[in-house]
Amino acid sequence: MKRTTIGIIDYDLGNVQSLRNCFKKLGYICVFSQEIKILKKCDILVLPGVGAFPPAIKSLREKKLDIFIQSLSKAQSLIGVCLGMQLLGKSSEEIESNKGLGLINAKTIQLPKNYTHVGWNNVSFNSKNFYEHDQKHFYFNHSYYLDIPKKYILASSRLDNLDIEVPSIIKKNNILGIQFHPEKSQARGLHLLECLLIDHLE
Amino acid sequence: MMTNKLTKFCQRCLYGDDHPLGLIIDESGICSGCRIHEEKDTLNWKDRYELLEKIIQPYKQVNKKNYDCIIPVSGGMDSYFIVDVVKNKLKLNPLLVTYNKYFNTPLGIRNLANLRIKFDCDIIQQNTNPLSVKKITRHTLQNYGNIYWHCIAGQTVFPVQIACHYKIPLIIWGAHQGTEQVGMFSHLHEVEMSRRYRKDHDLFGVEADDLLSNFGTIQEKDVSQFRYPDDQSLAEVGVRGIYLSNYIRWDPKAQHESMIKKYDFRTSKFSRTIDAYDFVDCFNYMNLHDLLKLYKHGYSKVTDHVSREIRHKRLSRNQGHKLVLKHEHQAAEFSNLFCSWLGVNEKSLNFILNTFKNLKYWDHTYENKSKFHGWSSIRDLDSSQKASAKLDAQSKFIVNGKLGHKHGNRYITIGKGYP
Amino acid sequence: MIKKRMVGVITVKDSLAVQSFGYKTYLPLGKPAVLAENLDRWGADEILLNCIDVSSQSKSIDLNLITSVSKAISTPLIYSGGVQSPEDAVSVVKAGADRICLDAIVSTDIHMAVEISKTLGRQAIILTAPFTRSHQDHFWLDHIGCKLNSINDLIKTIEMDIFSELMLVDSDNEGIRNSFDMSIMDKIIPLTPIPLILFGGISSASQIKKIFNIKNVSAVGIGNSLSYKELAIKELKSSLPKEWFRS
């Protein structure tokens, strides 16, 4: 039986060792590349991301990875993690106005009152498929969030200080977005990633 | 962590700052090990003993349905002293546990039997099957230049496994090696046993699961005996390992000599060190294992023993240095026993040993006449001070036995029966 | 709801993990990656790699060290020590850190600190402010320039809006168990709009209980004392209200 291949997109931003370790532990074949001919052969593509929106989208464009991601076939799945999830939207106001990859009708906007969402927060799932992860805590590290139609929100987290909810996991067809860092959320994060991948591949 | 920088030496003992456990030399030129040793003469040891009594109190079994604690023992080291303190002074009921090293000297087996009989204690012994032990030893020798991994791994994990299985939470150890050698902790920190220390320093970063590989010969069944219990198991039982050296002014030489007198602990001379007490239960620790230490780290056990005696003011630094020069390059004995046990010939063994010569301390890794420039050859000394390599009354070690016995030198096979 | 965090602090000097006492005396501990792996297994909420000899001895950042630590863990990693430019910050993140602390650069070149924050995003930047007591008053310690700055200067720096959290380090009591000087909190709390991490002389559950009862404090850093006992973090958490911590 052929093992599922995961291709982590390398666009010179951040460190992906933890993500690679996770996928390896879960038994997937994992490659890390910016070469389109390699990424084309992967079953699942992962768009990681640490840092700010402008340098990230700039780097994707320079490497022509934006066009590649936008022309993804239905046979391939795409998972955006943290900044990677925000890049999937139509636009971002972080530092300056920028267009995103436009795969989802959503925009990245700043959290109110200059708030930064850092630390372990609980995640509320809208789907019964993830009941064992509901209300568990995962590690967040962002100050912008995705303003997205409710129908795409698989899970959300409450920011008590601001009295708002932000999307923590989004899903649209073959696209999945995770705002927090499952690869930095220890055993719990690994287990959730495993369940999300199984669910997503089905 | 080998770097290319020059070794800096402590001005009091003989240690260099590239000591494998880590060593920090302060602005006065004194090392962290010597600084912590100073506490032996400044702390109130009566108070500290009372602290120990308070710590063990909750572990005393009121209904005597279980043992009060576990003591890891062997036919050498501080086993006699520890059991004497725990049983006769602290009045605890201990379960002794011991790990079969395979390299057992008749003297060590005799000391172990004498220990359990004289102190009237129950003892459990761990015997890992010889095939797994040899596979592991071949692997650690070839890949890490270490023949002792299974011994240390077994000795440090078996008591913890027994603590979990038998639900005896308290394990009582003697000395904390990091504290005693390099001052890793103050006695006041009351450091306890940890898996971290075992992986970092006892096992040079290699735990049981790190030996497994898809390509090697070592499999799950070979390593499962050496695996540390998981955190949940430790927490459920409340496993806790304390060190008597945090509560009793630790002086191995004095302690051993008291045990020789009171309980007939037997000792032996070693060619590669001044100490005759610590490692009498093993044919290899003060021989092949010690030679590998010299190859890899540029110093050997005699430097540890001498530095200890300098700190206890029984030797001067210059005297210590002379003694190191006298013993450090003595031939390692009993290699033939190791070779026939492992199934390698001496030429192959020597070839492997030589590949582990650290180029920081040796000219090259070829067999013969590789020039040594380890610690003893580069250490700065006060040459105006005269010193003799002869031990006087207070620094001499009592020798009342021999490693082997009249039927010859060979590893004692546990459970085989005599001869 | 965001939970309180226990940050395991690994202080590193000359590539060796050490116990530090007031940043004046040190005792050796071992390999940073092994300490990190241990904290990871224990469930530390974050791990701080605190490299204290980079700025003070004008060394370059040891990226291999960061990589070796990050490889061993699946816990968020904060890096502190000698980050002086956006290029440094990006290298440190590429090597495996999730957030970085800025200390010396804030005193020497605040505009550079602004650029670093723009590059990584505010969420990734922590302001490290060592403090000391002198003549009954608290001061923000510039240990590179050997100057004492006022707490007002610290507040003004925070108001520049380039940091997500402020880490207050009690540099006098660092390394001494149960000794963090809480009297500074009265000065800081009313004026600081961002959450606080406290570090330096924090070791006991009773101490952490008082600290975490302060709403603005999001985390405590614990260093030396985590090496004294097995399962140290679990023991501390189990002596504190369960609802404070993640499940």
Side-chain angles (χ1 to χ4, degrees):
Chain A
M1 193 178 97
K2 182 180 166 285
R3 275 205 293 170
T4 307
T5 323
I6 296 182
I8 305 179
I9 300 169
D10 174 14
Y11 60 112
D12 288 336
L13 222 75
N15 175 274
V16 298
Q17 190 62 48
S18 302
L19 266 176
R20 292 179 83 169
N21 287 347
C22 277
F23 295 130
K24 204 175 157 199
K25 273 189 196 153
L26 294 174
Y28 295 94
I29 299 171
C30 185
V31 301
F32 176 53
S33 176
Q34 48 186 245
E35 282 188 66
I36 291 168
K37 62 175 192 247
I38 293 175
L39 294 171
K40 255 189 173 156
K41 294 182 185 161
C42 299
D43 301 304
I44 303 174
L45 289 168
V46 172
L47 184 64
V50 171
F53 197 102
I57 198 71
K58 184 170 173 239
S59 183
L60 281 173
R61 285 197 188 113
E62 277 168 0
K63 294 171 170 52
K64 302 214 180 350
L65 289 165
D66 56 335
I67 304 167
F68 165 65
I69 295 168
Q70 284 159 342
S71 61
L72 225 56
S73 77
K74 286 213 170 77
Q76 278 184 304
S77 296
L78 177 64
I79 302 176
V81 179
C82 196
L83 178 63
M85 167 168 132
Q86 294 172 2
L87 288 164
L88 301 173
K90 277 188 150 156
S91 66
S92 165
E93 62 178 38
E94 184 174 3
I95 300 171
E96 65 201 26
S97 229
N98 265 295
K99 278 196 175 146
L101 293 168
L103 293 173
I104 301 186
N105 181 20
K107 57 182 182 187
T108 296
I109 56 177
Q110 193 172 13
L111 285 167
K113 299 180 190 168
N114 258 347
Y115 185 72
T116 51
H117 186 202
V118 175
W120 296 82
N121 201 356
N122 57 331
V123 167
S124 305
F125 281 85
N126 298 333
S127 161
K128 289 203 179 96
N129 291 349
F130 299 93
Y131 72 91
E132 64 175 313
H133 305 284
D134 190 38
Q135 303 312 314
K136 297 293 187 284
H137 297 86
F138 300 89
Y139 189 76
F140 289 83
N141 188 24
H142 63 114
S143 39
Y144 286 76
Y145 74 103
L146 207 59
D147 181 17
I148 188 172
K150 263 203 168 86
K151 61 181 175 181
Y152 299 127
I153 299 176
L154 179 55
S156 59
S157 295
R158 186 164 185 75
L159 305 182
D160 286 313
N161 288 13
L162 305 174
D163 202 19
I164 61 168
E165 289 216 3
V166 292
S168 14
I169 306 177
I170 59 155
K171 189 175 163 78
K172 182 191 172 193
N173 302 326
N174 61 336
I175 297 170
L176 189 69
I178 309 172
Q179 179 61 75
F180 55 87
H181 289 276
E183 80 282 13
K184 296 286 171 147
S185 299
Q186 298 174 349
R188 181 139 282 138
L190 183 70
H191 186 43
L192 174 62
L193 200 55
E194 184 179 30
C195 295
L196 282 171
L197 284 166
I198 292 169
D199 181 77
H200 197 52
L201 286 166
E202 280 165 8
Chain B
M1 274 163 291
M2 288 302 157
T3 62
N4 288 324
K5 73 172 183 68
L6 289 169
T7 307
K8 216 170 138 192
F9 290 96
C10 176
Q11 295 307 302
R12 192 178 290 171
C13 71
L14 298 182
Y15 282 150
D17 67 350
D18 50 353
H19 190 297
L21 296 181
L23 187 85
I24 291 173
I25 296 178
D26 66 21
E27 279 150 9
S28 315
I30 306 297
C31 77
S32 42
C34 286
R35 285 295 181 212
I36 294 302
H37 187 96
E38 286 169 4
E39 291 180 348
K40 292 195 200 284
D41 296 319
T42 56
L43 292 177
N44 183 328
W45 292 101
K46 185 169 173 291
D47 284 353
R48 298 205 66 69
Y49 189 79
E50 280 170 15
L51 250 179
L52 174 64
E53 286 175 319
K54 279 203 186 83
I55 289 170
I56 56 106
Q57 194 54 41
Y59 296 92
K60 277 192 171 162
Q61 293 280 315
V62 170
N63 53 17
K64 303 282 180 235
K65 278 199 174 150
N66 202 353
Y67 298 96
D68 297 327
C69 66
I70 287 170
I71 305 177
V73 297
S74 70
M77 287 306 279
D78 301 292
S79 301
Y80 277 55
F81 182 78
I82 301 167
V83 178
D84 187 36
V85 167
V86 170
K87 196 150 187 217
N88 298 332
K89 303 210 167 82
L90 294 172
K91 308 280 188 219
L92 291 168
N93 175 26
L95 172 64
L96 310 190
V97 307
T98 188
Y99 175 79
N100 177 15
K101 292 209 262 287
Y102 276 81
F103 311 137
N104 309 304
T105 62
L107 183 58
I109 296 300
R110 178 260 164 212
N111 276 342
L112 189 57
N114 187 53
L115 173 76
R116 68 171 175 80
I117 293 166
K118 283 265 166 47
F119 288 100
D120 194 25
C121 288
D122 295 344
I123 187 165
I124 297 184
Q125 186 169 56
Q126 164 79 339
N127 282 298
T128 306
N129 76 82
L131 197 64
S132 295
V133 166
K134 287 179 194 183
K135 262 196 210 174
I136 287 170
T137 304
R138 246 176 245 124
H139 176 87
T140 58
L141 171 59
Q142 282 184 303
N143 291 283
Y144 305 104
N146 185 292
I147 61 165
Y148 230 68
W149 189 94
H150 90 87
C151 303
I152 307 284
Q155 282 171 342
T156 53
V157 82
F158 183 54
V160 187
Q161 290 165 343
I162 293 296
C164 291
H165 292 325
Y166 283 61
K167 300 201 184 344
I168 309 169
L170 184 64
I171 303 172
I172 302 184
W173 301 88
H176 186 270
Q177 188 196 45
T179 302
E180 294 296 302
Q181 283 194 16
V182 299
M184 197 173 285
F185 298 95
S186 157
H187 299 91
L188 300 170
H189 296 152
E190 295 179 64
V191 64
E192 296 185 6
M193 166 186 89
S194 74
R195 181 173 165 179
R196 192 283 299 181
Y197 183 95
R198 175 180 183 258
K199 176 167 185 168
D200 206 340
H201 300 300
D202 291 330
L203 305 181
F204 44 91
V206 179
E207 281 187 305
D209 285 282
D210 300 314
L211 294 176
L212 290 169
S213 130
N214 289 331
F215 310 106
T217 56
I218 297 176
Q219 295 169 338
E220 170 63 27
K221 62 184 168 72
D222 299 314
V223 302
S224 58
Q225 307 259 30
F226 299 100
R227 194 173 276 125
Y228 212 80
D230 62 32
D231 286 354
Q232 196 173 339
S233 307
L234 299 177
E236 272 166 13
V237 174
V239 176
R240 190 182 172 189
I242 65 171
Y243 295 91
L244 293 181
S245 62
N246 285 324
Y247 309 99
I248 295 172
R249 188 187 181 279
W250 208 253
D251 181 350
K253 184 175 187 285
Q255 285 157 202
H256 270 120
E257 283 163 10
S258 160
M259 295 299 106
I260 291 168
K261 251 196 194 146
K262 284 166 87 170
Y263 300 109
D264 194 21
F265 176 75
R266 298 266 172 93
T267 69
S268 167
K269 212 166 133 95
F270 289 100
S271 57
R272 290 181 56 79
T273 190
I274 56 172
D275 183 284
Y277 308 151
D278 283 344
F279 303 109
V280 298
D281 60 332
C282 180
F283 276 114
N284 290 318
Y285 193 94
M286 279 316 313
N287 290 294
L288 211 52
H289 177 67
D290 195 46
L291 186 66
L292 276 162
K293 185 173 164 124
L294 187 68
Y295 282 8
K296 294 184 297 185
H297 300 298
Y299 77 103
S300 64
K301 199 69 197 170
V302 63
T303 300
D304 290 319
H305 283 139
V306 162
S307 294
R308 182 189 76 195
E309 295 305 300
I310 291 169
R311 289 171 181 169
H312 280 286
K313 302 190 176 72
R314 291 189 283 253
L315 289 174
S316 72
R317 192 168 184 257
N318 277 21
Q319 230 182 335
H321 178 74
K322 281 248 153 68
L323 287 163
V324 167
L325 293 177
K326 181 181 173 189
H327 289 278
E328 195 170 57
H329 292 283
Q330 295 295 318
E333 297 177 278
F334 311 118
S335 301
N336 56 327
L337 292 182
F338 180 76
C339 287
S340 65
W341 176 80
L342 195 63
V344 296
N345 67 53
E346 284 209 53
K347 228 181 168 173
S348 306
L349 177 68
N350 282 330
F351 179 81
I352 296 171
L353 297 185
N354 276 297
T355 60
F356 285 99
K357 278 182 173 155
N358 189 331
L359 292 174
K360 187 176 180 188
Y361 309 116
W362 298 87
D363 257 355
H364 58 73
T365 62
Y366 311 131
E367 267 213 49
N368 299 317
K369 310 225 188 297
S370 171
K371 192 156 185 254
F372 177 69
H373 40 91
W375 283 5
S376 59
S377 66
I378 57 175
R379 188 183 290 129
D380 48 320
L381 286 154
D382 181 356
S383 52
S384 67
Q385 290 203 17
K386 297 257 176 225
S388 153
K390 209 168 171 209
L391 294 171
D392 63 17
Q394 69 154 355
S395 55
K396 233 172 163 170
F397 288 78
I398 301 166
V399 176
N400 60 13
K402 269 172 72 165
L403 287 189
H405 56 40
K406 59 186 182 200
H407 297 289
N409 294 319
R410 56 185 172 166
Y411 296 168
I412 297 298
T413 305
I414 303 295
K416 185 172 180 269
Y418 180 84
Chain C
M1 196 181 131
I2 293 253
K3 296 297 175 182
K4 302 283 188 187
R5 285 141 42 216
M6 279 199 189
V7 182
V9 180
I10 302 170
T11 298
V12 178
K13 188 174 181 295
D14 292 323
S15 308
L16 181 68
V18 296
Q19 286 198 69
S20 165
F21 304 93
Y23 299 113
K24 293 194 181 79
T25 57
Y26 306 94
L27 295 177
L29 274 177
K31 300 174 206 58
V34 179
L35 269 86
E37 184 191 39
N38 191 67
L39 290 170
D40 178 73
R41 201 188 64 249
W42 278 356
D45 301 305
E46 272 169 334
I47 294 170
L48 166 57
L49 188 62
N50 186 24
C51 296
I52 56 173
D53 55 351
V54 185
S55 291
S56 59
Q57 298 189 23
S58 306
K59 289 182 173 177
S60 51
I61 298 172
D62 187 348
L63 296 174
N64 289 333
L65 172 67
I66 302 172
T67 303
S68 74
V69 166
S70 130
K71 261 187 185 166
I73 60 178
S74 57
T75 303
L77 179 64
I78 306 170
Y79 174 78
S80 174
V83 175
Q84 301 208 311
S85 67
E87 292 73 31
D88 281 346
V90 169
S91 303
V92 161
V93 163
K94 272 192 172 167
D98 298 289
R99 303 172 78 201
I100 60 168
C101 290
L102 298 183
D103 182 356
I105 193 66
V106 173
S107 305
T108 56
D109 188 348
I110 189 66
H111 301 292
M112 193 60 86
V114 172
E115 290 309 306
I116 294 170
S117 180
K118 274 193 186 151
T119 307
L120 292 189
R122 252 177 87 233
Q123 68 279 357
I125 315 295
I126 298 167
L127 170 59
T128 299
F131 69 90
T132 182
R133 256 192 111 129
S134 180
H135 304 301
Q136 312 293 328
D137 213 350
H138 293 100
F139 293 91
W140 176 23
L141 178 61
D142 170 2
H143 54 93
I144 302 297
C146 298
K147 280 192 291 165
L148 296 179
N149 296 321
S150 71
I151 298 294
N152 276 335
D153 287 336
L154 176 60
I155 303 299
K156 282 202 193 103
T157 308
I158 294 166
E159 284 168 353
M160 292 180 74
D161 242 0
I162 55 176
F163 309 103
S164 53
E165 285 179 311
L166 167 67
M167 181 160 74
L168 276 178
V169 182
D170 187 344
S171 57
D172 299 329
N173 292 311
E174 189 261 345
I176 304 170
R177 281 176 283 189
N178 212 11
S179 63
F180 183 91
D181 178 4
M182 291 295 284
S183 64
I184 195 176
M185 300 303 279
D186 294 328
K187 292 180 189 146
I188 294 282
I189 296 288
L191 303 169
T192 310
I194 56 177
L196 291 153
I197 308 170
L198 304 188
F199 173 58
I202 296 174
S203 60
S204 74
S206 56
Q207 203 184 7
I208 296 172
K209 195 168 191 183
K210 287 198 186 92
I211 290 170
F212 277 163
N213 269 320
I214 302 171
K215 189 166 172 251
N216 300 44
V217 175
S218 57
V220 290
I222 311 172
N224 299 350
S225 60
L226 289 181
S227 290
Y228 299 164
K229 278 190 157 137
E230 185 62 271
L231 301 179
I233 289 183
K234 189 187 174 72
E235 198 180 295
L236 283 170
K237 282 190 179 180
S238 64
S239 315
L240 294 163
K242 211 172 154 188
E243 57 272 14
W244 280 353
F245 303 104
R246 60 187 168 105
S247 58

